[in-house]
Amino acid sequence: MKRKRHSIHRRDFLKKASSAGAYSMLPFTHLTDTNRKGLSESWQSPVEVADHYQTLDLSPAKWIWYPSRRTLVNTFVLFRRAFDLSAVPEKAEGWILAESRYKLYVNGKRVQFGPAPSDPRWSEADPVNLSGLLKRGKNVIAFEVLYFGHGDGTWPIGKPGFLFSLQISRGKDRILHLVSDRSWQTSIARSWPPGQYKRWYLRALQESFDARKYPTGWKIAGYAVTDDWL
């Protein structure tokens, strides 16, 4: 018996998906009940799934990076944002997108890392929920972002940077909309030497870490920012 070929090729699905916005693909949990029911009852092709995805608008957040003309492969960049809250918020939810890997910290505590597995040609935004982690007074949100670089066989493309949007609210009132912009402080993490060779038989980062150069305390309030922070 001859097997019936699928009418939709994978490359057609990816092309269809990317037309909705490279950073706006959301998981099934963001479909409406009506759309989810319709998909489960009449599944025909992956393209139908792309048609039901919603777009994600993170403006006025900006794609930001350490200000330099060139970024070497396997460079770690630190980002921090200190802010004050007049009251403990009930909700703090948003999105994070980073190229190529990130770790998120809140007041010195590691919260999550990512991005979630996806097609490396079109990154997806990860949901962030910091409810219960922020406090009244001074808070610090911090990111370690690792940029792999171009041309690797397992990570073909990408522009260094990260995008962040967080809605902080109490009841029906929005306390603060925290986004990635020029107000963030950034520094190259010299504790990981930039430009480490990445061509290995496992194609993995050759991590070399010098704890003496690590800016201890940079993820919490009260850190004395030095001249190497821009």
Side-chain angles (χ1 to χ4, degrees), residues 35-182:
N35 289 342
R36 188 182 296 110
K37 181 179 179 181
L39 285 175
S40 61
E41 291 179 351
S42 59
W43 179 273
Q44 293 184 6
S45 72
V47 171
E48 290 185 333
V49 180
D51 289 336
H52 285 275
Y53 277 105
Q54 300 174 4
T55 56
L56 180 63
D57 184 5
L58 298 182
S59 60
K62 302 295 184 181
W63 185 254
I64 63 175
W65 190 243
Y66 184 85
S68 62
R69 294 185 177 181
R70 180 187 180 194
T71 301
L72 298 177
V73 298
N74 293 328
T75 293
F76 286 79
V77 174
L78 310 179
F79 295 91
R80 74 187 305 268
R81 178 70 160 80
F83 58 97
D84 289 294
L85 292 177
S86 58
V88 177
E90 293 180 359
K91 287 186 177 181
E93 300 176 340
W95 300 90
I96 166 67
L97 176 67
E99 179 66 55
S100 306
R101 294 286 189 268
Y102 73 88
K103 289 182 181 178
L104 164 62
Y105 301 86
V106 176
N107 296 323
K109 179 182 179 180
R110 193 179 81 170
V111 176
Q112 71 181 54
F113 60 92
S118 63
D119 189 309
R121 292 171 293 179
W122 294 291
S123 301
E124 298 185 10
D126 288 349
V128 175
N129 190 339
L130 305 184
S131 304
L133 297 176
L134 300 177
K135 59 184 181 180
R136 180 180 178 181
K138 184 75 70 175
N139 291 268
V140 174
I141 292 180
F143 287 91
E144 290 176 356
V145 181
L146 164 62
Y147 174 59
F148 284 159
H150 294 273
D152 186 89
T154 58
W155 200 265
I157 61 175
K159 178 181 179 180
F162 96 101
L163 187 70
F164 180 69
S165 176
L166 185 71
Q167 295 277 5
I168 304 174
S169 60
R170 183 177 179 85
K172 296 182 179 180
D173 299 325
R174 186 176 73 179
I175 300 177
L176 178 65
H177 186 195
L178 191 65
V179 298
S180 50
D181 55 20
R182 294 178 61 88

Side-chain angles (χ1 to χ4, degrees), residues 211-229:
R212 298 169 299 178
K213 298 180 180 180
Y214 191 74
T216 302
W218 71 278
K219 294 173 284 193
I220 60 176
Y223 173 71
V225 177
T226 53
D227 293 338
D228 54 341
W229 286 83

